[in-house]
PDB file of all heavy atoms in Angstrom:
ATOM      1  N   MET O 102    -100.031  83.383 -36.174  1.00 97.00           N
ATOM      2  CA  MET O 102    -100.891  82.830 -35.181  1.00 97.00           C
ATOM      3  C   MET O 102    -100.067  81.769 -34.244  1.00 97.00           C
ATOM      4  O   MET O 102    -100.224  81.599 -33.162  1.00 97.00           O
ATOM      5  CB  MET O 102    -102.132  82.089 -35.714  1.00 97.00           C
ATOM      6  CG  MET O 102    -103.040  83.077 -36.336  1.00 97.00           C
ATOM      7  SD  MET O 102    -103.778  84.346 -35.167  1.00 97.00           S
ATOM      8  CE  MET O 102    -102.754  85.800 -35.705  1.00 97.00           C
ATOM      9  N   GLY O 103     -98.952  81.134 -34.907  1.00 96.00           N
ATOM     10  CA  GLY O 103     -98.218  80.142 -34.326  1.00 96.00           C
ATOM     11  C   GLY O 103     -97.311  80.747 -33.281  1.00 96.00           C
ATOM     12  O   GLY O 103     -96.621  80.040 -32.530  1.00 96.00           O
ATOM     13  N   HIS O 159    -101.298  76.059 -33.204  1.00 96.00           N
ATOM     14  CA  HIS O 159    -100.488  75.123 -32.369  1.00 96.00           C
ATOM     15  C   HIS O 159    -100.520  73.778 -32.939  1.00 96.00           C
ATOM     16  O   HIS O 159    -101.302  73.472 -33.956  1.00 96.00           O
ATOM     17  CB  HIS O 159    -101.088  75.060 -30.947  1.00 96.00           C
ATOM     18  CG  HIS O 159    -100.212  74.554 -29.899  1.00 96.00           C
ATOM     19  ND1 HIS O 159    -100.070  73.221 -29.546  1.00 96.00           N
ATOM     20  CD2 HIS O 159     -99.329  75.361 -28.923  1.00 96.00           C
ATOM     21  CE1 HIS O 159     -98.979  73.194 -28.654  1.00 96.00           C
ATOM     22  NE2 HIS O 159     -98.723  74.382 -28.252  1.00 96.00           N
ATOM     23  N   LEU O 218    -111.007  68.161 -35.028  1.00 97.00           N
ATOM     24  CA  LEU O 218    -111.504  68.606 -33.651  1.00 97.00           C
ATOM     25  C   LEU O 218    -111.763  70.225 -33.632  1.00 97.00           C
ATOM     26  O   LEU O 218    -112.702  70.539 -33.152  1.00 97.00           O
ATOM     27  CB  LEU O 218    -110.572  68.152 -32.686  1.00 97.00           C
ATOM     28  CG  LEU O 218    -111.010  68.533 -31.182  1.00 97.00           C
ATOM     29  CD1 LEU O 218    -112.314  67.903 -30.805  1.00 97.00           C
ATOM     30  CD2 LEU O 218    -109.833  68.127 -30.250  1.00 97.00           C
ATOM     31  N   VAL O 247    -111.632  67.179 -50.829  1.00 95.00           N
ATOM     32  CA  VAL O 247    -112.727  67.665 -49.951  1.00 95.00           C
ATOM     33  C   VAL O 247    -113.653  68.678 -50.663  1.00 95.00           C
ATOM     34  O   VAL O 247    -114.990  68.631 -50.599  1.00 95.00           O
ATOM     35  CB  VAL O 247    -112.223  68.138 -48.668  1.00 95.00           C
ATOM     36  CG1 VAL O 247    -113.285  68.604 -47.810  1.00 95.00           C
ATOM     37  CG2 VAL O 247    -111.283  67.134 -47.953  1.00 95.00           C
ATOM     38  N   GLY O 282    -110.283  68.301 -63.567  1.00 85.00           N
ATOM     39  CA  GLY O 282    -110.377  68.882 -64.883  1.00 85.00           C
ATOM     40  C   GLY O 282    -109.994  70.348 -65.091  1.00 85.00           C
ATOM     41  O   GLY O 282    -109.394  70.977 -64.228  1.00 85.00           O
ATOM     42  N   SER O 307    -109.625  82.142 -67.549  1.00 92.00           N
ATOM     43  CA  SER O 307    -110.424  80.995 -67.199  1.00 92.00           C
ATOM     44  C   SER O 307    -111.566  81.463 -66.380  1.00 92.00           C
ATOM     45  O   SER O 307    -112.566  80.835 -66.449  1.00 92.00           O
ATOM     46  CB  SER O 307    -109.470  80.134 -66.357  1.00 92.00           C
ATOM     47  OG  SER O 307    -108.405  79.618 -67.018  1.00 92.00           O
ATOM     48  N   TRP O 347    -109.294  99.551 -31.066  1.00 98.00           N
ATOM     49  CA  TRP O 347    -108.066  99.574 -31.964  1.00 98.00           C
ATOM     50  C   TRP O 347    -106.790 100.008 -31.044  1.00 98.00           C
ATOM     51  O   TRP O 347    -105.803  99.409 -31.066  1.00 98.00           O
ATOM     52  CB  TRP O 347    -108.215 100.560 -33.043  1.00 98.00           C
ATOM     53  CG  TRP O 347    -107.099 100.666 -34.064  1.00 98.00           C
ATOM     54  CD1 TRP O 347    -106.733  99.864 -34.995  1.00 98.00           C
ATOM     55  CD2 TRP O 347    -106.010 101.638 -33.936  1.00 98.00           C
ATOM     56  NE1 TRP O 347    -105.644 100.308 -35.650  1.00 98.00           N
ATOM     57  CE2 TRP O 347    -105.086 101.322 -34.974  1.00 98.00           C
ATOM     58  CE3 TRP O 347    -105.755 102.744 -33.182  1.00 98.00           C
ATOM     59  CZ2 TRP O 347    -103.991 102.010 -35.294  1.00 98.00           C
ATOM     60  CZ3 TRP O 347    -104.624 103.507 -33.417  1.00 98.00           C
ATOM     61  CH2 TRP O 347    -103.663 103.203 -34.468  1.00 98.00           C
ATOM     62  N   GLN O 352    -101.845  98.484 -28.202  1.00 97.00           N
ATOM     63  CA  GLN O 352    -101.102  98.546 -27.041  1.00 97.00           C
ATOM     64  C   GLN O 352    -100.884  97.129 -26.490  1.00 97.00           C
ATOM     65  O   GLN O 352     -99.633  96.764 -26.108  1.00 97.00           O
ATOM     66  CB  GLN O 352    -101.897  99.241 -25.857  1.00 97.00           C
ATOM     67  CG  GLN O 352    -101.899 100.824 -26.000  1.00 97.00           C
ATOM     68  CD  GLN O 352    -102.981 101.430 -25.133  1.00 97.00           C
ATOM     69  OE1 GLN O 352    -103.457 100.875 -24.301  1.00 97.00           O
ATOM     70  NE2 GLN O 352    -102.997 102.814 -25.304  1.00 97.00           N
TER      71      GLN O 352
END
Side-chain angles (χ1 to χ4, degrees):
M102 296 299 102
H159 203 274
L218 182 64
V247 180
S307 294
W347 182 85
Q352 290 166 4

